[in-house]
Amino acid sequence: MSIGSEQRKTRAAQKFPPGIAYIDGRFRPISEARISVLDWGLLRSDATYDVVHVWQRRFFRLDAHLDRFLASVAKLRLSLPFDRATLAETLKECVRRSGLDDAYVEMICTRGFSPDFSRDPRAAVNRFIAFAIPFGWIADAEQRRRGLHLAIAEVRRIPPQSVDPRVKNYHWLDLVTGLFEAYDRGAENVLLCDLEGNVTEGAGFNLFAVSAGRVTTPSSGVLEGITRATVLELCAELGVPAETGTVSAEALTAADEVFVTSTAGGIMPVARIDGAAIGDGAPGRLTGKLTELYWAKHDDPAWTTPVD
Ligand code: PLP
């Protein structure tokens, strides 16, 4: 049939990044890692995941990512096929086999499905997947140099009473809807507010405001990012007052400096929100200092784990 052959041609032409996945008990090239269309992870976003990065062949804060992932797996009443040590070894083996020096390493546990496709989630056989692909950035090199342009979306973040954002999840339609809103308004990425109008987080990152020397990041309605926790620790090391709290949209746009944080890029400056300059419109001094310290920690044995 012509539709089928067209689809096969499109599939054959689909390019993949280099990388290695572990799925159904085997390591495979990333292009060959596939899940069943019946998996509730796909059909219902019934899954949790975590992402840790490898920089110059060292994992950054692997233990913190494993703690968060294992807590999320437990909260969703999922189970993994092996223990923490084997999980860590599986991630390392993905990176080793990929040959990548700098990698984005994702671990996933999906609900899976049961042989009779029961609607009872307790009957499902959970699935574990991991993969290592090249390191990727939320902000490209130019955006990191001059600061990101963000928009605050009309669409609101899913309330934490409905889906717990501390369990890292694929309920991303609010964030993706917001991204398109931001692109339509000429911005490069998006921030979402909660139902009260306070800012929460963006599409894959937490947010920080610096006002009169004090650093604040939203306390609730957000994923408790490992980079966010790292920034709070770096502030303590530098003797800079930092706290979690409420950040209104007005306070954010009036801040002296704004930056976002993610495993996918670390600490990244924000230059404009809804078209208005933050501070003098250039990346802030404290943002720069924290960014430097953050990357310097990437060969500190206290926070890193060698791949080999
Ligand atoms: N918030 C959301 C919604 C995310 O998806 C992410 C990371 O993917 C973050 C925040 C940042 O978390 P971390 O610093 O652990 O990467």
Side-chain angles (χ1 to χ4, degrees), residues 49 68 168 172 201 204-206 223 225-227 261-263:
Y49 75 112
R68 185 173 66 182
K168 198 164 156 69
W172 264 58
E201 57 188 341
F205 53 83
N206 290 112
L223 175 72
I226 305 300
T227 324
T261 63
S262 172
T263 295

Side-chain angles (χ1 to χ4, degrees), residues 65-190:
H65 286 278
L66 294 181
D67 286 348
R68 185 173 66 182
F69 181 59
L70 293 173
S72 297
V73 165
K75 276 191 200 152
L76 297 188
R77 303 206 205 184
L78 292 160
S79 59
L80 294 176
F82 37 52
D83 61 12
R84 182 186 179 106
T86 314
L87 167 61
E89 187 49 36
T90 305
L91 302 178
K92 284 184 192 171
E93 189 59 18
C94 283
V95 181
R96 278 187 210 115
R97 290 182 184 229
S98 76
L100 294 164
D101 291 339
D102 306 321
Y104 177 101
V105 184
E106 184 151 342
M107 61 206 96
I108 306 164
C109 187
T110 71
R111 187 72 60 192
F113 60 96
S114 63
D116 63 356
F117 203 49
S118 160
R119 301 183 73 85
D120 182 341
R122 294 171 300 183
V125 180
N126 303 163
R127 169 174 280 118
F128 174 77
I129 306 166
F131 62 81
I133 56 173
F135 184 89
W137 303 80
I138 296 267
D140 66 25
E142 166 65 7
Q143 292 165 351
R144 296 197 302 277
R145 191 192 54 72
R146 53 110 164 117
L148 275 163
H149 296 176
L150 301 182
I152 298 178
E154 288 295 323
V155 64
R156 299 300 167 100
R157 188 80 176 107
I158 297 170
Q161 293 83 353
S162 302
V163 174
D164 184 350
R166 295 169 304 176
V167 173
K168 198 164 156 69
N169 64 68
Y170 293 125
H171 293 264
W172 264 58
L173 290 186
D174 53 352
L175 297 168
V176 173
T177 304
L179 267 178
F180 278 104
E181 239 192 80
Y183 298 150
D184 289 347
R185 285 156 51 190
E188 294 156 347
N189 215 310
V190 71

Side-chain angles (χ1 to χ4, degrees), residues 276-300:
I278 301 299
D280 63 4
R285 200 187 53 83
L286 182 60
T287 305
K289 202 167 167 183
L290 285 166
T291 307
E292 217 172 277
L293 187 55
Y294 172 81
W295 286 106
K297 294 283 186 189
H298 280 65
D299 55 14
D300 182 338

Side-chain angles (χ1 to χ4, degrees), residues 13-54:
Q14 167 99 58
K15 295 270 191 290
F16 288 85
I20 294 292
Y22 174 88
I23 184 165
D24 295 336
R26 280 183 50 198
F27 293 95
R28 304 162 204 259
I30 197 83
S31 58
E32 292 169 23
R34 307 207 173 104
I35 62 161
S36 166
V37 293
L38 296 183
D39 196 308
W40 294 126
L42 172 70
L43 299 178
R44 292 180 173 169
S45 295
D46 187 351
T48 188
Y49 75 112
D50 218 290
V51 177
V52 54
H53 72 226
V54 167

